[in-house]
Amino acid sequence: MRKLVLITGASAGIGHAFAEHYAAQGFDVALVARRSDRLAEISADLKSRFDIETLIVVSDLSAPDAPQRILEDLSSAGRHVDVLINNAGFGLPGVFAETHWEDQRDFIQLMFTAPLELCHRLLPGMIERGYGRIINVASLVSFLPGGVGHTLYGPVKSGLMRFSESLNAETEGTGVHVTALCPGLTFSEFHDVNGQRARVSKTPGLMWQTADRVVELGARAVEKNRPVIVTGFVNKCLAVLGQVLPGGIARSLMKAQSADSKREAGA
Ligand SMILES: NC(=O)c1ccc[n+]([C@@H]2O[C@H](COP(=O)([O-])OP(=O)(O)OC[C@H]3O[C@@H](n4cnc5c(N)ncnc54)[C@H](OP(=O)(O)O)[C@@H]3O)[C@@H](O)[C@H]2O)c1
């Protein structure tokens, strides 16, 4: 039986590119997201081009029982997961005090708790079989200080990056590889969904990468069992700057850079 890759957020952007990448390598693909029409289109396309099997799991990962239900669905189909791509995500605009707690709670569930739970439920089987690959899609912002707006985005992405480092160390020698993939600005639907398209479109072209390139670098890094990969030279430089600049200077730069975000949120 072919190996199975489970990809959350497979209906667009980086997740869709991951589905293409692994399908092209001959993996069966389990596609998770909320938009069933998109998943059906992608599934049909992958099956016809790569002669693989696909499984569609329509799920809202902000529901606390979603990870367990997804894995139950796969188990009922007689499948176990060999490769896990924790990718689903979005940005929640606005300054913290002016957002609704319910939105922040759902954001944490989707962006942090669900990826951790999927890892926790899948790791024992991967270790037992002596093979597993886990990519947690974090971000360049994992390395940068907090700014104004999108208040919990940085904390969850930093947490996901540190978590991946720990898992990578804990699974050494087991055949399981764990990588935090940290892209910078990537062409996808992300900035349409979070309403930041106009603001980020002013960013110079050299700051942007395609989802295909991000995926290529992430997939290569997890094969090498690198705990963290920051994608591309420009992003690597920014990540280093975020860590070597004195805290006060780095925070002031972030505050100035994110001030637009506050104005756009009407704060
Ligand atoms: N684009 C960037 O510049 C950038 C940079 C750094 C990191 N990232 C990270 O990369 C990851 C992928 O983002 P992207 O750029 O590919 O964005 P995207 O094109 O907007 O895709 C986001 C994916 O997440 C899914 N998703 C969102 N909310 C969901 C929910 N509640 N339940 C299930 N699935 C959900 C969406 O599917 P449905 O809407 O169909 O549910 C979609 O498939 C995210 O974790 C993001 O934080 C992106």
Side-chain angles (χ1 to χ4, degrees), residues 183-203:
L185 290 169
T186 307
F187 294 112
S188 72
E189 297 173 11
F190 186 85
H191 298 99
D192 304 308
V193 175
N194 74 6
Q196 302 283 301
R197 177 62 62 204
R199 190 167 79 90
V200 296
S201 59
K202 295 174 199 148
T203 315

Side-chain angles (χ1 to χ4, degrees), residues 53-125:
E53 268 188 45
T54 62
L55 295 99
I56 293 178
V57 188
V58 179
S59 176
D60 182 344
L61 279 155
S62 62
D65 61 350
Q68 186 178 351
R69 281 175 179 270
I70 291 166
L71 299 185
E72 279 169 3
D73 277 9
L74 297 183
S75 189
S76 318
R79 300 303 302 262
H80 67 255
V81 175
D82 300 289
V83 180
L84 168 65
I85 313 288
N86 274 317
N87 162 77
F90 74 112
L92 189 57
V95 290
F96 195 62
E98 294 174 11
T99 56
H100 298 291
W101 172 248
E102 290 72 18
D103 293 338
Q104 298 290 358
R105 179 199 59 199
D106 291 354
F107 180 80
I108 296 166
Q109 181 69 36
L110 167 71
M111 306 287 285
F112 197 58
T113 311
L116 267 54
E117 183 174 346
L118 286 170
C119 288
H120 193 263
R121 288 184 180 278
L122 290 173
L123 262 173

